[in-house]
């Protein structure tokens, strides 16, 4: 397993999303990671029933916010050597990629996921 120090740039998988950021604290089982960009937007729906459109609760899963900090298990953190992109641009790209993938799937889960994403986009990118 890779070892990191405070300030290292990392790629961290958290729940069903992947983020780019920096380590801000080292804990026994986790790294505290400050989110600076979104590499993969979290999947929509119930994490315990993935890709099930008929799950009891179909959750709207938001991406972690810019500079939000989260505990990530050490095994889910990897070094990231490239430049970290702008948060808003990376969020838009991650959502666009997810939409493209979902538009090719014909299922209740994909349809509900696309509805959730449309709602999230309105909130994420509203004019200030």
């Amino acid at each position: 397993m890779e070892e990191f120090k405070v300030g290292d740039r990392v790629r961290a998988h958290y729940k069903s999303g992947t983020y780019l950021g920096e380590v801000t604290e080292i804990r026994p089982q986790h790294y505290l990671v400050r989110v600076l960009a979104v590499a993969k937007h979290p999947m929509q729906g119930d994490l315990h029933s993935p890709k099930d459109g008929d799950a009891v609760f179909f959750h709207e899963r938001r991406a972690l916010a810019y500079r939000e900090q989260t505990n990530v298990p050490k095994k889910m953190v990897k070094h990231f050597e490239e430049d970290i992109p702008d948060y808003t641009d990376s969020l838009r790209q991650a959502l666009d990629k997810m939409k493209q993938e979902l538009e090719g799937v014909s299922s209740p889960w994909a349809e509900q996921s696309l509805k959730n994403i449309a709602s999230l986009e309105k909130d994420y990118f509203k004019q200030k």
Side-chain angles (χ1 to χ4, degrees):
M1 186 175 355
E2 296 179 82
E3 292 293 321
F4 300 95
K5 61 185 183 311
V6 172
D8 282 353
R9 288 186 303 193
V10 296
R11 177 182 198 94
H13 186 74
Y14 178 74
K15 296 197 176 178
S16 66
T18 305
Y19 302 92
L20 307 176
E22 63 188 5
V23 173
T24 59
E25 189 175 318
I26 299 167
R27 297 179 174 173
Q29 303 296 317
H30 298 83
Y31 290 109
L32 187 62
V33 175
R34 177 179 294 129
V35 173
L36 300 175
V38 180
K40 178 183 175 287
H41 195 279
M43 282 180 44
Q44 300 303 294
D46 186 347
L47 293 180
H48 302 289
S49 303
K51 298 188 178 181
D52 181 358
D54 298 321
V56 176
F57 294 105
F58 197 94
H59 301 278
E60 178 182 88
R61 301 212 173 276
R62 298 180 63 83
L64 296 175
Y66 179 64
R67 296 187 62 78
E68 182 174 350
Q69 296 194 74
T70 189
N71 281 307
V72 182
K74 287 185 172 182
K75 66 182 180 180
M76 304 304 281
V77 177
K78 305 288 182 219
H79 274 285
F80 187 76
E81 299 297 329
E82 302 167 36
D83 289 336
I84 294 178
D86 174 75
Y87 177 85
T88 303
D89 292 343
S90 70
L91 177 59
R92 185 172 300 281
Q93 287 176 355
L95 275 175
D96 288 347
K97 182 176 182 191
M98 181 174 272
K99 281 193 321 191
Q100 287 176 342
E101 291 169 359
L102 289 169
E103 287 167 350
V105 177
S106 178
S107 73
W109 167 77
E111 290 172 19
Q112 185 60 45
S113 292
L114 286 166
K115 288 179 187 174
N116 283 11
I117 289 169
S119 173
L120 287 168
E121 282 181 310
K122 288 178 185 172
D123 187 42
Y124 287 155
F125 306 115
K126 60 186 168 197
Q127 298 296 322
K128 299 202 177 6

